[in-house]
Structure formats: C-alpha cells, structure tokens
Coordinates of all heavy atoms in Angstrom, one line a residue:
M6 N 0.8 -1.2 0.0 CA 0.0 0.0 0.0 C 0.9 1.2 0.0 O 1.9 1.3 0.7 CB -0.8 0.0 1.3 CG -2.2 -0.3 1.0 SD -3.0 0.0 2.6 CE -4.5 -0.4 2.3
T7 N 0.4 2.2 -0.7 CA 1.2 3.4 -0.8 C 0.4 4.5 0.0 O -0.8 4.6 -0.1 CB 1.4 3.9 -2.2 OG1 0.1 4.1 -2.8 CG2 2.2 2.9 -3.0
A8 N 1.1 5.3 0.7 CA 0.5 6.4 1.5 C 0.5 7.6 0.7 O 1.6 8.0 0.1 CB 1.1 6.5 2.8
H9 N -0.6 8.3 0.6 CA -0.6 9.6 -0.1 C -0.5 10.7 0.9 O -1.2 10.7 1.9 CB -1.9 9.7 -1.0 CG -2.0 8.7 -2.1 ND1 -1.2 8.9 -3.2 CD2 -2.7 7.6 -2.2 CE1 -1.5 7.9 -4.0 NE2 -2.4 7.1 -3.5
N10 N 0.3 11.7 0.5 CA 0.5 12.8 1.4 C -0.7 13.8 1.1 O -0.8 14.3 0.1 CB 1.8 13.5 1.2 CG 2.1 14.6 2.1 OD1 1.3 14.8 3.1 ND2 3.2 15.3 2.0
T11 N -1.5 14.0 2.1 CA -2.7 14.9 2.0 C -2.4 16.3 2.5 O -3.2 17.2 2.5 CB -3.9 14.4 2.6 OG1 -3.6 14.2 4.0 CG2 -4.4 13.1 2.0
Q12 N -1.2 16.5 3.0 CA -0.8 17.8 3.5 C -0.5 18.7 2.4 O 0.1 18.3 1.4 CB 0.5 17.7 4.4 CG 0.3 16.8 5.7 CD -0.6 17.5 6.6 OE1 -0.6 18.7 6.7 NE2 -1.4 16.7 7.4
P13 N -0.9 20.0 2.5 CA -0.6 20.9 1.4 C 0.9 21.2 1.3 O 1.6 21.2 2.4 CB -1.3 22.2 1.8 CG -1.6 22.1 3.3 CD -1.7 20.6 3.6
T14 N 1.4 21.2 0.1 CA 2.8 21.4 0.0 C 3.1 22.9 -0.2 O 2.2 23.7 -0.3 CB 3.3 20.7 -1.3 OG1 2.7 21.3 -2.4 CG2 3.1 19.2 -1.2
H15 N 4.4 23.3 -0.2 CA 4.8 24.7 -0.2 C 4.5 25.2 -1.6 O 4.4 26.4 -1.8 CB 6.3 24.8 0.1 CG 6.7 26.1 0.5 ND1 6.1 26.8 1.5 CD2 7.6 27.0 0.0 CE1 6.6 28.0 1.6 NE2 7.6 28.1 0.7
N16 N 4.3 24.4 -2.6 CA 4.1 24.8 -4.0 C 2.6 25.1 -4.3 O 2.3 25.6 -5.4 CB 4.6 23.8 -5.0 CG 6.1 23.7 -4.9 OD1 6.8 24.7 -4.5 ND2 6.7 22.6 -5.2
D17 N 1.7 24.7 -3.4 CA 0.3 24.9 -3.6 C 0.0 26.4 -3.7 O 0.5 27.2 -2.9 CB -0.6 24.2 -2.6 CG -0.6 22.7 -2.7 OD1 -0.2 22.2 -3.7 OD2 -0.9 22.1 -1.7
A18 N -0.9 26.7 -4.6 CA -1.3 28.2 -4.7 C -2.2 28.5 -3.5 O -3.2 27.9 -3.4 CB -2.0 28.4 -6.0
A19 N -1.8 29.4 -2.7 CA -2.6 29.8 -1.6 C -2.9 31.3 -1.7 O -2.1 32.1 -2.2 CB -1.9 29.6 -0.3
R20 N -4.1 31.7 -1.3 CA -4.5 33.1 -1.3 C -3.7 33.9 -0.3 O -3.6 33.5 0.8 CB -6.0 33.3 -1.1 CG -6.4 34.7 -1.2 CD -8.0 34.8 -1.1 NE -8.4 36.1 -1.4 CZ -8.5 37.0 -0.4 NH1 -8.1 36.8 0.8 NH2 -8.9 38.2 -0.7
N21 N -3.1 35.0 -0.8 CA -2.3 35.8 0.1 C -3.3 36.7 0.9 O -4.2 37.4 0.3 CB -1.4 36.7 -0.8 CG -0.5 37.5 0.1 OD1 -0.5 37.5 1.3 ND2 0.4 38.3 -0.6
T22 N -3.2 36.7 2.2 CA -4.0 37.5 3.0 C -3.8 39.0 2.9 O -4.6 39.8 3.4 CB -3.9 37.1 4.5 OG1 -2.6 37.2 4.9 CG2 -4.4 35.6 4.7
N23 N -2.7 39.4 2.3 CA -2.4 40.8 2.2 C -2.9 41.3 0.8 O -2.5 42.5 0.5 CB -0.9 41.0 2.3 CG -0.4 40.8 3.7 OD1 -1.1 41.0 4.6 ND2 0.8 40.3 3.8
D24 N -3.6 40.6 0.1 CA -4.1 41.0 -1.2 C -5.0 42.3 -1.0 O -5.8 42.4 0.0 CB -5.0 40.0 -1.9 CG -4.1 38.9 -2.5 OD1 -2.9 39.1 -2.6 OD2 -4.6 37.8 -2.8
M25 N -4.9 43.2 -1.9 CA -5.8 44.4 -1.9 C -7.1 44.1 -2.5 O -7.3 43.3 -3.4 CB -5.1 45.5 -2.7 CG -3.8 46.0 -2.1 SD -4.0 46.8 -0.6 CE -5.1 48.2 -1.0
K26 N -8.1 44.8 -1.9 CA -9.5 44.7 -2.5 C -9.5 45.5 -3.8 O -8.8 46.5 -3.9 CB -10.5 45.3 -1.6 CG -10.8 44.4 -0.4 CD -12.0 45.1 0.4 CE -12.3 44.3 1.6 NZ -13.4 45.0 2.3
V27 N -10.4 45.2 -4.7 CA -10.7 46.0 -5.8 C -11.2 47.3 -5.3 O -12.0 47.3 -4.4 CB -11.7 45.3 -6.8 CG1 -12.0 46.2 -8.0 CG2 -11.1 43.9 -7.2
S28 N -10.8 48.4 -5.9 CA -11.2 49.7 -5.4 C -12.7 50.0 -5.3 O -13.2 50.7 -4.5 CB -10.5 50.8 -6.2 OG -11.0 50.8 -7.5
T29 N -13.4 49.3 -6.2 CA -14.9 49.5 -6.2 C -15.6 48.7 -5.1 O -16.8 48.9 -4.9 CB -15.5 49.1 -7.5 OG1 -15.2 47.8 -7.8 CG2 -15.0 50.0 -8.6
R30 N -14.8 47.9 -4.3 CA -15.4 47.1 -3.3 C -15.0 47.6 -1.9 O -15.1 46.9 -0.9 CB -15.1 45.7 -3.4 CG -15.6 45.1 -4.8 CD -15.4 43.7 -4.8 NE -16.5 43.1 -4.1 CZ -16.8 41.8 -4.0 NH1 -16.0 41.0 -4.6 NH2 -17.8 41.4 -3.3
T31 N -14.6 48.9 -1.8 CA -14.1 49.4 -0.5 C -15.1 50.4 0.0 O -15.9 51.0 -0.7 CB -12.7 50.1 -0.7 OG1 -12.9 51.2 -1.6 CG2 -11.7 49.1 -1.2
L32 N -15.0 50.6 1.3 CA -15.8 51.6 2.0 C -15.4 53.0 1.4 O -16.3 53.9 1.3 CB -15.6 51.6 3.5 CG -16.3 52.6 4.3 CD1 -17.8 52.4 4.2 CD2 -15.9 52.5 5.8
E33 N -14.2 53.3 1.1 CA -13.7 54.6 0.6 C -14.5 54.9 -0.7 O -14.9 56.0 -0.9 CB -12.2 54.6 0.3 CG -11.4 54.4 1.5 CD -10.1 53.6 1.2 OE1 -10.0 53.0 0.1 OE2 -9.2 53.6 2.0
F34 N -14.7 53.9 -1.6 CA -15.4 54.1 -2.8 C -16.9 54.4 -2.6 O -17.4 55.3 -3.2 CB -15.2 52.9 -3.8 CG -15.8 53.2 -5.1 CD1 -15.3 54.0 -6.0 CD2 -17.0 52.5 -5.4 CE1 -15.8 54.2 -7.3 CE2 -17.6 52.7 -6.7 CZ -17.0 53.6 -7.6
A35 N -17.5 53.7 -1.6 CA -18.9 53.9 -1.3 C -19.1 55.3 -0.8 O -20.0 56.0 -1.2 CB -19.4 52.9 -0.3
V36 N -18.2 55.8 0.1 CA -18.3 57.1 0.7 C -18.1 58.2 -0.4 O -18.7 59.2 -0.5 CB -17.3 57.3 1.8 CG1 -17.2 58.8 2.3 CG2 -17.7 56.4 3.0
Y37 N -17.1 57.9 -1.3 CA -16.8 58.8 -2.4 C -18.1 59.0 -3.3 O -18.4 60.1 -3.7 CB -15.6 58.3 -3.2 CG -15.4 59.0 -4.6 CD1 -14.9 60.3 -4.6 CD2 -15.7 58.3 -5.8 CE1 -14.8 60.9 -5.8 CE2 -15.6 58.9 -7.0 CZ -15.1 60.2 -7.0 OH -14.9 60.8 -8.2
V38 N -18.7 57.9 -3.7 CA -19.8 57.9 -4.6 C -21.0 58.6 -3.9 O -21.7 59.5 -4.5 CB -20.3 56.5 -5.0 CG1 -21.6 56.5 -5.7 CG2 -19.2 55.9 -5.9
A39 N -21.2 58.4 -2.6 CA -22.3 59.1 -1.9 C -22.0 60.6 -1.8 O -22.9 61.4 -2.0 CB -22.4 58.5 -0.5
A40 N -20.7 61.0 -1.6 CA -20.4 62.4 -1.5 C -20.6 63.1 -2.8 O -21.1 64.2 -2.9 CB -19.0 62.6 -1.0
V41 N -20.2 62.4 -3.9 CA -20.4 63.0 -5.3 C -21.8 63.1 -5.6 O -22.3 64.2 -6.1 CB -19.6 62.1 -6.3 CG1 -20.1 62.5 -7.7 CG2 -18.1 62.3 -6.2
L42 N -22.6 62.1 -5.3 CA -24.1 62.2 -5.5 C -24.7 63.3 -4.7 O -25.6 64.1 -5.2 CB -24.8 60.9 -5.3 CG -24.5 59.8 -6.3 CD1 -25.1 58.5 -5.8 CD2 -25.0 60.2 -7.7
A43 N -24.3 63.4 -3.4 CA -24.8 64.5 -2.6 C -24.5 65.9 -3.1 O -25.3 66.8 -3.1 CB -24.3 64.3 -1.2
T44 N -23.3 66.0 -3.7 CA -22.8 67.3 -4.2 C -23.6 67.6 -5.5 O -24.1 68.8 -5.6 CB -21.3 67.2 -4.6 OG1 -20.6 66.9 -3.4 CG2 -20.8 68.5 -5.1
I45 N -23.9 66.6 -6.3 CA -24.7 66.9 -7.5 C -26.1 67.3 -7.2 O -26.7 68.2 -7.7 CB -24.6 65.6 -8.4 CG1 -23.2 65.5 -9.0 CG2 -25.6 65.7 -9.6 CD1 -23.0 64.1 -9.7
I46 N -26.7 66.5 -6.3 CA -28.1 66.8 -5.9 C -28.2 68.2 -5.2 O -29.1 69.0 -5.5 CB -28.6 65.7 -5.0 CG1 -28.8 64.4 -5.7 CG2 -29.9 66.1 -4.3 CD1 -29.0 63.2 -4.9
T47 N -27.3 68.5 -4.3 CA -27.3 69.8 -3.7 C -27.1 70.9 -4.7 O -27.8 72.0 -4.6 CB -26.2 69.9 -2.6 OG1 -26.3 68.8 -1.7 CG2 -26.2 71.2 -1.9
S48 N -26.2 70.8 -5.7 CA -26.0 71.8 -6.7 C -27.3 72.0 -7.5 O -27.6 73.1 -8.0 CB -24.9 71.4 -7.6 OG -24.7 72.3 -8.6
A49 N -28.0 70.9 -7.8 CA -29.2 71.0 -8.6 C -30.4 71.6 -7.8 O -31.2 72.3 -8.4 CB -29.6 69.6 -9.1
V50 N -30.4 71.5 -6.5 CA -31.5 71.9 -5.7 C -31.3 73.3 -5.2 O -32.2 74.2 -5.2 CB -31.8 70.9 -4.5 CG1 -32.8 71.5 -3.6 CG2 -32.2 69.6 -5.1
V51 N -30.1 73.6 -4.7 CA -29.9 74.9 -4.0 C -29.8 76.0 -5.1 O -29.1 75.9 -6.1 CB -28.6 74.9 -3.2 CG1 -28.2 76.2 -2.7 CG2 -28.7 73.9 -2.1
G52 N -30.5 77.1 -4.8 CA -30.4 78.3 -5.6 C -31.4 78.4 -6.8 O -31.3 79.2 -7.6
D53 N -32.3 77.5 -6.8 CA -33.3 77.4 -7.9 C -34.6 78.1 -7.6 O -35.5 78.1 -8.4 CB -33.6 76.0 -8.3 CG -32.4 75.4 -9.0 OD1 -31.5 76.1 -9.5 OD2 -32.3 74.1 -9.1
N54 N -34.7 78.7 -6.4 CA -36.0 79.4 -6.1 C -35.8 80.9 -6.0 O -34.7 81.4 -6.1 CB -36.7 78.8 -4.9 CG -35.8 78.8 -3.7 OD1 -34.8 79.6 -3.6 ND2 -36.1 78.0 -2.7
A55 N -36.9 81.6 -5.7 CA -36.8 83.1 -5.7 C -36.2 83.6 -4.4 O -36.0 84.8 -4.3 CB -38.2 83.6 -5.9
S56 N -36.0 82.8 -3.4 CA -35.5 83.3 -2.1 C -34.0 83.8 -2.2 O -33.6 84.7 -1.4 CB -35.5 82.2 -1.0 OG -34.6 81.1 -1.4
E57 N -33.3 83.4 -3.2 CA -31.9 84.0 -3.4 C -31.9 85.0 -4.5 O -30.9 85.3 -5.1 CB -30.9 82.9 -3.8 CG -30.6 81.9 -2.6 CD -31.5 80.7 -2.5 OE1 -32.3 80.5 -3.5 OE2 -31.6 80.1 -1.5
N58 N -33.1 85.6 -4.9 CA -33.2 86.6 -5.9 C -32.7 86.1 -7.3 O -32.1 86.8 -8.0 CB -32.5 87.9 -5.5 CG -33.1 88.5 -4.3 OD1 -34.3 88.5 -4.1 ND2 -32.2 89.2 -3.5
G59 N -32.9 84.8 -7.5 CA -32.5 84.3 -8.8 C -31.1 83.9 -8.9 O -30.6 83.5 -10.0
V60 N -30.3 84.1 -7.9 CA -28.9 83.8 -7.9 C -28.7 82.3 -7.5 O -29.2 81.8 -6.5 CB -28.1 84.7 -7.0 CG1 -26.6 84.3 -7.0 CG2 -28.3 86.1 -7.4
D61 N -27.9 81.6 -8.3 CA -27.6 80.2 -8.0 C -26.4 80.2 -7.1 O -25.2 80.4 -7.6 CB -27.3 79.4 -9.3 CG -27.3 77.9 -9.1 OD1 -27.4 77.5 -7.9 OD2 -27.0 77.2 -10.1
V62 N -26.6 80.0 -5.8 CA -25.5 80.1 -4.8 C -24.6 78.9 -4.8 O -23.5 79.0 -4.3 CB -26.1 80.4 -3.4 CG1 -26.7 81.7 -3.3 CG2 -27.0 79.3 -3.0
F63 N -25.0 77.8 -5.4 CA -24.2 76.6 -5.5 C -24.2 76.1 -6.9 O -24.9 75.2 -7.2 CB -24.6 75.6 -4.5 CG -23.7 74.4 -4.3 CD1 -22.3 74.6 -4.1 CD2 -24.1 73.1 -4.4 CE1 -21.4 73.5 -4.0 CE2 -23.3 72.0 -4.2 CZ -21.9 72.3 -4.1
N64 N -23.5 76.8 -7.8 CA -23.6 76.5 -9.2 C -22.8 75.3 -9.6 O -22.1 74.7 -8.8 CB -23.2 77.8 -10.0 CG -21.8 78.3 -9.7 OD1 -21.0 77.6 -9.1 ND2 -21.6 79.5 -10.0
A65 N -22.8 75.0 -10.9 CA -22.2 73.8 -11.4 C -20.7 73.9 -11.3 O -20.0 72.9 -11.0 CB -22.6 73.6 -12.9
S66 N -20.1 75.1 -11.5 CA -18.6 75.2 -11.4 C -18.1 74.9 -10.0 O -17.1 74.3 -9.8 CB -18.1 76.5 -11.9 OG -18.6 77.6 -11.1
T67 N -18.9 75.4 -9.0 CA -18.5 75.1 -7.6 C -18.7 73.6 -7.3 O -17.8 73.0 -6.6 CB -19.4 75.9 -6.6 OG1 -19.3 77.3 -7.0 CG2 -19.0 75.8 -5.2
A68 N -19.7 73.0 -7.8 CA -20.0 71.6 -7.6 C -18.8 70.8 -8.2 O -18.3 69.8 -7.6 CB -21.3 71.2 -8.2
M69 N -18.4 71.2 -9.4 CA -17.3 70.4 -10.1 C -16.0 70.6 -9.3 O -15.2 69.7 -9.3 CB -17.2 70.9 -11.5 CG -18.3 70.4 -12.4 SD -18.5 68.7 -12.4 CE -16.9 68.1 -13.1
Q70 N -15.8 71.8 -8.7 CA -14.6 72.0 -7.9 C -14.6 71.0 -6.7 O -13.6 70.4 -6.4 CB -14.5 73.4 -7.4 CG -13.3 73.8 -6.7 CD -13.2 75.2 -6.3 OE1 -14.2 75.9 -6.3 NE2 -12.0 75.7 -6.0
Y71 N -15.8 70.9 -6.0 CA -15.9 70.0 -4.9 C -15.7 68.5 -5.3 O -15.1 67.7 -4.6 CB -17.2 70.2 -4.2 CG -17.3 71.4 -3.3 CD1 -18.5 72.1 -3.2 CD2 -16.2 71.9 -2.7 CE1 -18.6 73.3 -2.4 CE2 -16.2 73.1 -1.9 CZ -17.5 73.8 -1.8 OH -17.5 74.9 -1.1
I72 N -16.3 68.2 -6.5 CA -16.1 66.8 -7.0 C -14.7 66.5 -7.3 O -14.2 65.4 -7.0 CB -17.1 66.6 -8.2 CG1 -18.5 66.6 -7.7 CG2 -16.7 65.3 -8.9 CD1 -19.5 66.6 -8.8
T73 N -14.0 67.5 -7.8 CA -12.5 67.3 -8.1 C -11.8 67.1 -6.8 O -10.9 66.2 -6.8 CB -12.0 68.6 -8.9 OG1 -12.7 68.7 -10.1 CG2 -10.5 68.4 -9.2
W74 N -12.1 67.9 -5.8 CA -11.4 67.7 -4.5 C -11.7 66.3 -3.9 O -10.8 65.6 -3.4 CB -11.8 68.8 -3.5 CG -11.2 70.1 -3.9 CD1 -10.2 70.4 -4.7 CD2 -11.7 71.3 -3.4 NE1 -10.0 71.8 -4.8 CE2 -10.9 72.4 -3.9 CE3 -12.7 71.7 -2.5 CZ2 -11.1 73.7 -3.7 CZ3 -12.8 73.0 -2.2 CH2 -12.1 74.0 -2.8
L75 N -12.9 65.9 -4.1 CA -13.3 64.5 -3.6 C -12.5 63.4 -4.3 O -12.1 62.5 -3.8 CB -14.8 64.3 -3.7 CG -15.7 65.0 -2.8 CD1 -17.2 65.0 -3.3 CD2 -15.6 64.5 -1.4
T76 N -12.4 63.6 -5.7 CA -11.7 62.7 -6.5 C -10.2 62.6 -6.1 O -9.6 61.5 -5.9 CB -11.8 63.0 -8.0 OG1 -13.2 63.1 -8.3 CG2 -11.1 62.0 -8.8
V77 N -9.6 63.7 -5.9 CA -8.2 63.8 -5.4 C -8.0 63.1 -4.1 O -7.1 62.3 -3.8 CB -7.6 65.2 -5.4 CG1 -6.3 65.3 -4.7 CG2 -7.6 65.8 -6.8
G78 N -9.0 63.4 -3.2 CA -8.9 62.7 -1.9 C -9.1 61.2 -1.9 O -8.4 60.5 -1.2
F79 N -10.0 60.7 -2.8 CA -10.1 59.3 -3.0 C -8.9 58.7 -3.6 O -8.4 57.6 -3.1 CB -11.3 59.0 -3.9 CG -11.5 57.6 -4.3 CD1 -11.9 56.7 -3.3 CD2 -11.2 57.1 -5.6 CE1 -12.1 55.3 -3.6 CE2 -11.4 55.8 -5.9 CZ -11.8 54.9 -4.9
M80 N -8.2 59.3 -4.5 CA -7.0 58.8 -5.1 C -5.9 58.8 -4.1 O -5.1 57.8 -4.0 CB -6.6 59.6 -6.3 CG -7.6 59.4 -7.5 SD -7.4 60.5 -9.0 CE -5.8 61.2 -8.8
V81 N -5.8 59.8 -3.2 CA -4.8 59.8 -2.2 C -5.1 58.7 -1.2 O -4.1 57.9 -0.8 CB -4.7 61.1 -1.5 CG1 -3.9 61.1 -0.2 CG2 -4.2 62.2 -2.4
A82 N -6.3 58.5 -0.8 CA -6.7 57.4 0.1 C -6.3 56.0 -0.4 O -5.8 55.2 0.3 CB -8.2 57.5 0.5
R83 N -6.6 55.8 -1.7 CA -6.3 54.5 -2.3 C -4.7 54.3 -2.4 O -4.2 53.2 -2.2 CB -6.9 54.4 -3.7 CG -8.4 54.2 -3.7 CD -8.8 53.0 -2.9 NE -8.2 51.7 -3.5 CZ -8.1 50.6 -2.8 NH1 -8.6 50.5 -1.6 NH2 -7.6 49.6 -3.4
G84 N -4.0 55.4 -2.7 CA -2.6 55.3 -2.8 C -2.0 55.0 -1.4 O -1.1 54.2 -1.3
L85 N -2.5 55.6 -0.4 CA -2.0 55.3 1.0 C -2.4 53.9 1.4 O -1.6 53.2 2.0 CB -2.6 56.3 2.0 CG -2.1 57.7 1.9 CD1 -2.9 58.6 2.8 CD2 -0.6 57.8 2.2
A86 N -3.5 53.4 1.0 CA -3.9 52.0 1.3 C -3.0 51.0 0.6 O -2.6 50.0 1.2 CB -5.3 51.8 0.9
K87 N -2.6 51.3 -0.6 CA -1.7 50.4 -1.3 C -0.3 50.5 -0.8 O 0.4 49.5 -0.7 CB -1.8 50.7 -2.8 CG -3.0 50.3 -3.5 CD -3.0 50.5 -5.0 CE -4.2 50.0 -5.6 NZ -4.2 50.1 -7.1
A88 N 0.1 51.7 -0.5 CA 1.5 51.9 0.1 C 1.7 51.2 1.4 O 2.7 50.7 1.7 CB 1.8 53.4 0.2
G89 N 0.6 51.2 2.2 CA 0.7 50.6 3.5 C 0.5 49.1 3.5 O 0.5 48.4 4.6
N90 N 0.4 48.5 2.4 CA 0.1 47.0 2.3 C 1.2 46.3 1.6 O 1.0 45.6 0.6 CB -1.2 46.8 1.6 CG -1.7 45.4 1.7 OD1 -1.3 44.7 2.6 ND2 -2.5 44.9 0.7
R91 N 2.4 46.5 2.0 CA 3.6 45.8 1.4 C 3.8 44.5 2.1 O 3.7 44.3 3.3 CB 4.8 46.6 1.5 CG 4.6 47.9 0.7 CD 6.0 48.3 0.1 NE 5.8 49.4 -0.8 CZ 6.1 50.7 -0.5 NH1 6.6 51.0 0.6 NH2 5.9 51.6 -1.5
N92 N 4.1 43.5 1.3 CA 4.4 42.1 1.9 C 5.8 42.1 2.3 O 6.7 42.1 1.5 CB 4.1 41.1 0.8 CG 4.2 39.7 1.4 OD1 4.4 39.5 2.6 ND2 4.0 38.7 0.5
H93 N 6.1 42.0 3.6 CA 7.4 42.0 4.2 C 8.0 40.6 4.4 O 9.1 40.4 4.8 CB 7.5 42.7 5.5 CG 7.1 44.2 5.4 ND1 7.9 45.1 4.7 CD2 6.0 44.9 5.8 CE1 7.4 46.3 4.7 NE2 6.2 46.2 5.4
N94 N 7.2 39.6 4.0 CA 7.6 38.2 4.2 C 8.2 37.6 2.9 O 7.6 36.7 2.3 CB 6.5 37.3 4.7 CG 5.9 37.8 6.0 OD1 6.7 38.3 6.8 ND2 4.7 37.6 6.2
R95 N 9.3 38.1 2.4 CA 9.9 37.6 1.2 C 10.8 36.5 1.5 O 11.6 36.5 2.5 CB 10.6 38.8 0.5 CG 9.6 39.8 0.1 CD 10.3 40.9 -0.7 NE 9.2 41.9 -1.0 CZ 9.5 43.1 -1.4 NH1 10.8 43.5 -1.5 NH2 8.6 44.0 -1.6
A96 N 10.8 35.5 0.6 CA 11.7 34.4 0.8 C 13.1 34.6 0.3 O 13.4 35.3 -0.5 CB 11.1 33.2 0.1

C-alpha cells in the first residue's frame, strides 16, 4: 500500500491574506460615490427658487470643484492604502 500525502505542499497556490481589494469594493469608494451624488443633488436643488433673488448660490462650477477635490482625496486614500500594504515576508 502506498500512502498519499494529503498535507498541502509549499508549492500549492494559496491566497495571500495581504491582497488588496478591488477599489470599487471598498468603503472609501462607497463614501466617495455618496459624496459625489450628494454634491450633484445639492447643486441641482440649491439656488433654484426666488429666495436667493434668482442667484444660483451653489452653481455647477462650484460643484465640479468639490467633486474634483473629492476625487483627489479618493485617489490619495487609495494610494495610501496600497502603500501601507507591502508584503514583508519575502523568501
């Protein structure tokens, strides 16, 4: 009779626990999308009635500026997340 080794060998492909999540599956992305949507909705709603004498106090250019800042912040957050996730267990 031959005995088969059922123990996993060092060559078996194993999932690395330090793998990064896809950016669209992170809390940062969900918060980013919610903030962008809130900015767009606020820009569309604020300043459209007569209480501001017809002046759009939160116009499209201001909304785009805030969305740009949110995008830069999201990119920095993802960059920091990737930079802090280095595998130090090299053979």
Side-chain angles (χ1 to χ4, degrees):
M6 257 188 180
T7 60
H9 293 287
N10 187 4
T11 59
Q12 296 292 327
T14 63
H15 200 56
N16 294 333
D17 288 342
R20 184 174 185 273
N21 186 359
T22 58
N23 291 329
D24 286 343
M25 292 295 298
K26 285 185 183 177
V27 177
S28 65
T29 56
R30 300 189 80 174
T31 61
L32 179 63
E33 295 146 348
F34 184 73
V36 170
Y37 167 74
V38 169
V41 168
L42 289 175
T44 303
I45 292 170
I46 291 168
T47 304
S48 176
V50 172
V51 172
D53 289 341
N54 57 18
S56 65
E57 288 91 13
N58 297 325
V60 176
D61 192 1
V62 294
F63 190 48
N64 56 18
S66 65
T67 305
M69 287 305 297
Q70 185 178 18
Y71 286 145
I72 291 171
T73 301
W74 291 343
L75 288 168
T76 303
V77 169
F79 175 71
M80 290 174 13
V81 168
R83 288 303 299 161
L85 289 174
K87 286 184 178 184
N90 192 25
R91 294 213 171 107
N92 188 1
H93 297 291
N94 299 329
R95 295 184 183 163

